[in-house]
Amino acid sequence: MSQVPVLNMSGVEVAKTELSDAIFGITPNEAVMHTMVVNYLANQRQGTQSTLTRTEVRGGGRKPWRQKGTGHARQGSIRAPQWTHGGVALGPKPRSYRFTVNKKVKRLAMKSALSTKLMTENLIVLDAINMQEFKTKTIVEMLKALNVDSKALIVMPEVNKMVVKSANNIPGVKTTLVNTLNVYDILNYDKFIVVKDAVTKIEEVYA
C-alpha cells in the first residue's frame, strides 16, 4: 500500500491515505494503454466524410465522342475519375471507426494509467472541493496552491455543478467523474487531481 498525503484546497496536508497497490502500484503496460488511446480516438470519429463517385456526379450521361477515328483516347463519360469535375475513385464513404476492446484489457490499461500518475508524482489527492458559489477564481487559486501550472484533470465522486462550471473557463483544466474516467484523459492531462471519496470509488470499481 502506498501512502500519499491528502491536501485541502489551500495546498496544506491534512491527512494521509493509502492507495491500493493492485490499482495504483502495478507495472504500467504501455501496449494496452496505447490500445485504449487508439480505441478512444477512433470512437470519437464521426465517420461522415463522403465523396461522389462517377455515378453520383451530375451529368456525363452522353458519350463525349465516338469510340474510334477521332485520334483521342476512348471515353465513355466526362464524369469519369480522370476528368476534371469527374467522380472520385475509391474515395471515402460514411463508415464507423468504432472497435471494441476486451474488458480485461480495459481494466489493465486503466490500472496502468493510474499507476503511471503515481509513479511520476503527478497524482494529487484532495480531501474535498467545497464551493459556495460559481467562481472560476476559486478553482484558479486552488490550482495555484497545489502548484499546478500545467494541464489538470479533476476527478470527482459525483456531479458538482459549481466545480464543473467554475473550471470550464480555465484552459487546460477538465472535470470528470469516476464512472466517465478514461485512459486517454488520464494520460493526456499532466496532473491527476482526485477527491478522496473518488479514490474510494475507483478502488471499489477496479479492485
Side-chain angles (χ1 to χ4, degrees):
M1 300 288 269
S2 304
Q3 272 205 344
V4 296
V6 179
L7 309 179
N8 61 17
M9 293 179 66
S10 301
V12 178
E13 182 177 334
V14 293
K16 284 191 177 294
T17 187
E18 290 187 339
L19 300 180
S20 171
D21 287 340
I23 298 169
F24 293 92
I26 71 168
T27 302
N29 187 318
E30 292 186 6
V32 295
M33 287 194 290
H34 176 264
T35 298
M36 285 308 302
V37 169
V38 172
N39 174 254
Y40 176 85
L41 294 175
N43 291 349
Q44 300 305 303
R45 296 185 68 173
Q46 290 184 319
T48 54
Q49 72 276 44
S50 182
T51 53
L52 299 180
T53 64
R54 62 185 294 169
T55 62
E56 295 168 323
V57 180
R58 182 177 175 82
R62 179 177 62 85
K63 189 174 173 65
W65 52 75
R66 59 196 174 93
Q67 181 83 345
K68 293 178 176 290
T70 64
H72 294 298
R74 54 193 177 189
Q75 301 290 334
S77 169
I78 62 171
R79 294 295 181 249
Q82 73 270 21
W83 285 71
T84 302
H85 307 303
V88 176
L90 308 177
K93 282 294 185 182
R95 54 164 287 195
S96 172
Y97 289 89
R98 297 184 69 87
F99 67 93
T100 58
V101 179
N102 292 338
K103 189 180 290 185
K104 286 184 178 179
V105 174
K106 289 181 181 179
R107 292 174 70 88
L108 179 58
M110 183 65 74
K111 292 177 182 179
S112 296
L114 293 170
S115 298
T116 299
K117 288 302 175 187
L118 183 61
M119 286 174 57
T120 56
E121 298 182 350
N122 284 320
L123 188 147
I124 300 171
V125 180
L126 283 179
D127 61 341
I129 303 178
N130 298 315
M131 297 186 63
Q132 307 303 321
E133 57 181 334
F134 294 92
K135 204 168 185 68
T136 300
K137 186 178 180 181
T138 304
I139 301 296
V140 171
E141 289 175 347
M142 180 190 78
L143 294 174
K144 190 174 181 181
L146 297 173
N147 295 319
V148 175
D149 54 3
S150 53
K151 296 202 303 183
L153 181 67
I154 301 174
V155 184
M156 300 177 297
E158 55 193 18
V159 178
N160 185 327
K161 289 185 178 180
M162 285 190 181
V163 176
V164 173
K165 291 194 174 183
S166 297
N168 275 351
N169 294 330
I170 309 173
V173 175
K174 180 180 179 179
T175 58
T176 188
L177 302 174
V178 174
N179 57 359
T180 58
L181 194 58
N182 61 76
V183 174
Y184 176 80
D185 280 344
I186 296 174
L187 298 177
N188 186 40
Y189 288 86
D190 302 315
K191 294 293 183 180
F192 186 75
I193 303 170
V194 56
V195 179
K196 188 178 178 181
D197 290 344
V199 173
T200 305
K201 284 193 175 184
I202 290 172
E203 292 182 340
E204 287 175 359
V205 172
Y206 295 99

